[in-house]
Amino acid sequence: MELSGIHHLTAVSAQIRASHRFYTQTLGMRLVKRSVNQDDTSAYHLFYADAKGSPGSDLTFFDWPVPSERRGTRAITRTALRVAGPAALAWWAAHLRAQGLAVGEPLEQDGRLTLAFEDPEGQRLALIDDGGLGPSFPWERSPVPAEHQVRGLGPILISVPSLPPTQRLLQQALNMRLVRQYAHADTPQHPVHVFEMGPGGPAAELHVAVQPELPPAQPGAGGVHHVAFRIPDDAYDAWAERLNTLRVANSGKVDRFWFRSLYFREPNGILFELATDGPGFGVDEDAATLGEHVVLPPFLEPQRAAIIARLKPLD
């Protein structure tokens, strides 16, 4: 049993309208699902992705009016987005600077050209060169040229105070492989450990920074809620059984309608999810109009009028 890669990452925004503008206009991603948090229907849950809403391309946001995250360890600390080639990174550096963001020049990190930056709420992001490997599905209505568009999620960086407990979970429960190390830009005295899953490569890596000198992070806006890893649809039951057999405390089976999920925390408290590829975002919307209207899973449809009345306009 192997994970297929990164499925999605869910972050927190306290300024959802400005966040929507940034991810659709500045980053040029497509809003492929406009819904609500299924456990807190007062909040939007917005999904940004490639043109098709492909698994592995989703960067999603909960709409919570909370204070800003206090940075530290025991947290997901940077989300990479994949683009194709040095020319794309050079274009992005100029584009982000033109939008008023503090951006340096692309630098090599872990053998890949990388451009680190933050969104206006302090969400830590990076664009990385994935060499153009694998399929891509540019969105024709994006303000970003097709050849430079975000192709999907790249490596996710987490911070922990101690490696061994997390390493045991990653290797023994999730069957990830420790493949290399590199120096962290902020704490070079401690290496970042690269764990690979499934086929490997930039779409299937979890990077673990060991930073014992940092205080625990306090969740908030500009922070990350959880990361999800891809599993094949037909492996869902087996993964649920595996977590239980290994006594990994978990949510049990959760049907999110567009995918099925299993939630659990690694030993430092970081929330992980296993999510199936299917049935996908096209199960209840036409591909041409993904994300244009608020859609709800069937179990929330009877509450549609009350839910919609509480949501603020996005556009």
Side-chain angles (χ1 to χ4, degrees):
M1 294 173 62
E2 285 192 320
L3 305 174
S4 307
I6 306 298
H7 186 281
H8 69 266
L9 179 132
T10 296
V12 178
S13 172
Q15 302 173 25
I16 200 66
R17 292 184 68 180
S19 176
H20 172 249
R21 287 194 300 271
F22 180 82
Y23 286 92
T24 57
Q25 297 302 309
T26 300
L27 292 193
M29 301 177 76
R30 185 182 185 186
L31 178 62
V32 295
K33 192 62 62 177
R34 186 186 303 231
S35 192
V36 296
N37 183 320
Q38 294 180 15
D39 303 311
D40 173 13
T41 59
S42 68
Y44 277 114
H45 190 184
L46 304 182
F47 296 72
Y48 305 101
D50 64 13
K52 292 187 175 184
S54 307
S57 69
D58 301 334
L59 179 57
T60 91
F61 282 86
F62 291 150
D63 165 28
W64 284 335
V66 294
S68 296
E69 174 196 39
R70 190 185 77 186
R71 294 179 177 179
T73 189
R74 303 181 188 269
I76 299 167
T77 57
R78 193 172 295 275
T79 304
L81 305 170
R82 296 180 288 109
V83 298
L89 283 170
W91 183 91
W92 275 104
H95 173 67
L96 293 174
R97 281 195 291 269
Q99 301 300 313
L101 273 69
V103 179
E105 293 299 323
L107 299 173
E108 186 170 301
Q109 186 176 59
D110 187 33
R112 299 182 181 120
L113 205 56
T114 302
L115 182 67
F117 66 103
E118 297 179 7
D119 82 359
E121 289 188 89
Q123 186 69 231
R124 286 170 284 182
L125 303 167
L127 294 162
I128 68 160
D129 176 12
D130 70 357
L133 298 175
S136 66
F137 303 100
W139 180 34
E140 63 182 13
R141 289 161 54 192
S142 173
V144 175
E147 65 272 21
H148 298 328
Q149 285 182 32
V150 171
R151 293 159 45 82
L153 293 174
I156 305 302
L157 177 65
I158 70 174
S159 173
V160 299
S162 174
L163 181 63
T166 299
Q167 182 172 352
R168 282 194 295 272
L169 175 82
L170 298 181
Q171 293 184 311
Q172 296 176 18
L174 302 183
N175 289 332
M176 293 190 190
R177 308 177 296 274
L178 179 58
V179 293
R180 63 182 181 276
Q181 300 177 359
Y182 65 92
H184 192 287
D186 297 330
T187 53
Q189 70 274 26
H190 300 300
V192 177
H193 305 264
V194 177
F195 291 85
E196 199 172 65
M197 61 200 92
E205 292 176 359
L206 181 69
H207 293 199
V208 183
V210 180
Q211 298 175 305
E213 67 279 9
L214 297 183
Q218 292 295 317
V224 175
H225 188 266
H226 68 270
V227 61
F229 306 112
R230 293 175 64 183
I231 56 175
D233 296 3
D234 60 6
Y236 181 67
D237 291 340
W239 274 106
E241 182 178 355
R242 179 178 179 83
L243 293 180
N244 290 334
T245 298
L246 296 175
R247 298 185 178 180
V248 176
N250 67 89
S251 63
K253 296 178 180 179
V254 180
D255 189 348
R256 295 301 189 195
F257 188 58
W258 305 295
F259 46 84
R260 292 181 294 166
S261 300
L262 297 160
Y263 297 89
F264 56 97
R265 293 187 184 274
E266 60 82 47
N268 292 284
I270 300 170
L271 184 59
F272 286 172
E273 176 185 353
L274 305 183
T276 60
D277 282 354
F281 294 131
V283 70
D284 58 352
E285 288 189 277
D286 184 272
T289 57
L290 288 176
E292 295 183 10
H293 307 283
V294 174
V295 294
L296 302 173
F299 80 93
L300 288 178
E301 275 296 339
Q303 305 171 47
R304 171 174 282 275
I307 290 172
I308 296 298
R310 291 196 297 266
L311 297 176
K312 62 182 79 73
L314 277 183
D315 305 312

